[in-house]
Amino acid sequence: MPADPLHRAGTSQRSTSQPTNGSRASAIEVRRSARRRRTVSAYREGDRTVVLIPARMSEAEEQRWVNVMLDKLAAQESRRALGDTELAERARRLSGQYFDGRARPASVRWVTNQNTRWGSCTPSEGSIRLSHRLQGMPDYVVDYVLCHELAHLLVPGHGPRFWRLLEAYPRTERARGYLEGVVAAERLPHVPGARDA
């Protein structure tokens, strides 16, 4: 799967604090970066929330952005379209439709600790994990990532046999293009005058 850069380049400073709302996460880690000019982003990493901010921000701005990003993450998580049970059922349906039911995952679930890949599979365990970052993307994109990981249950590597198998999913190229576009958009420089995150 295409990698997703996390804007960690450059010297960064880290601080950890407890959230103002204990129900959101057990800890907040703020990472300041001199290379980050205007954008603010956040993601969950296990039981903590990581907030990435420009180094020049004041403590008051930092606290304001931490609260904004906690609210955004909570809203995203509450809009989760598919739960793990529905995701597993979707994977079974896709396996039947594109792989003659041969790919049989033991578990399929969303995870919040995959920030550099869209999905992962452990063939020996039959487990498939999809990054929470896919939530809210078009169904055909989520289906592609599920098919990609299902194909790994049948062919572990990324050789020619794997890609031939994945060609069964008709929207493979379109979904890959979408994901590549997401990654490319995250790499674009911030346009001066545009709204901050």
Side-chain angles (χ1 to χ4, degrees):
M1 307 291 328
D4 181 15
L6 294 178
H7 309 291
R8 290 187 184 156
T11 306
S12 63
Q13 301 169 341
R14 298 177 184 197
S15 62
T16 304
S17 63
Q18 295 301 318
T20 54
N21 178 346
S23 65
R24 295 194 227 193
S26 63
I28 299 166
E29 180 180 330
V30 176
R31 295 180 186 170
R32 291 176 171 264
S33 170
R35 291 188 64 184
R36 184 177 284 270
R37 297 285 180 221
R38 296 175 54 95
T39 61
V40 176
S41 62
Y43 61 91
R44 303 278 194 219
E45 189 173 80
D47 65 346
R48 43 184 196 139
T49 301
V50 178
V51 181
L52 308 170
I53 65 171
R56 64 171 174 71
M57 275 194 181
S58 70
E59 286 191 36
E61 289 175 304
E62 173 184 319
Q63 189 56 52
R64 182 178 73 83
W65 276 108
V66 164
N67 289 330
V68 166
M69 297 313 289
L70 286 174
D71 289 342
K72 280 187 173 189
L73 285 173
Q76 288 172 355
E77 290 164 356
S78 70
R79 288 193 308 263
R80 185 178 284 184
L82 296 174
D84 291 347
T85 303
E86 294 87 2
L87 192 63
E89 179 53 39
R90 192 169 180 172
R92 282 188 283 280
R93 179 182 53 78
L94 291 167
S95 176
Q97 189 172 358
Y98 299 110
F99 305 117
D100 299 321
R102 294 179 296 131
R104 296 185 186 105
S107 68
V108 182
R109 62 191 174 93
W110 295 108
V111 293
T112 58
N113 63 350
Q114 289 191 52
N115 295 299
T116 58
R117 61 176 81 186
W118 299 114
S120 63
C121 175
T122 307
S124 62
E125 298 173 3
S127 62
I128 292 175
R129 295 158 306 281
L130 263 60
S131 172
H132 70 286
R133 296 175 306 128
L134 289 165
Q135 294 167 348
M137 289 190 188
D139 287 346
Y140 75 91
V141 175
V142 176
D143 286 352
Y144 163 73
V145 177
L146 276 171
C147 283
H148 185 108
E149 302 310 333
L150 286 166
H152 278 310
L153 292 175
L154 304 172
V155 180
H158 286 107
R161 188 170 157 239
F162 171 83
W163 293 110
R164 279 193 304 275
L165 186 63
L166 194 53
E167 285 174 0
Y169 182 64
R171 300 179 94 179
T172 291
E173 289 307 312
R174 183 175 180 191
R176 285 176 58 87
Y178 184 97
L179 293 171
E180 287 170 6
V182 169
V183 171
E186 291 173 353
R187 291 180 179 158
L188 291 174
H190 182 75
V191 178
R195 271 184 78 202
D196 283 346

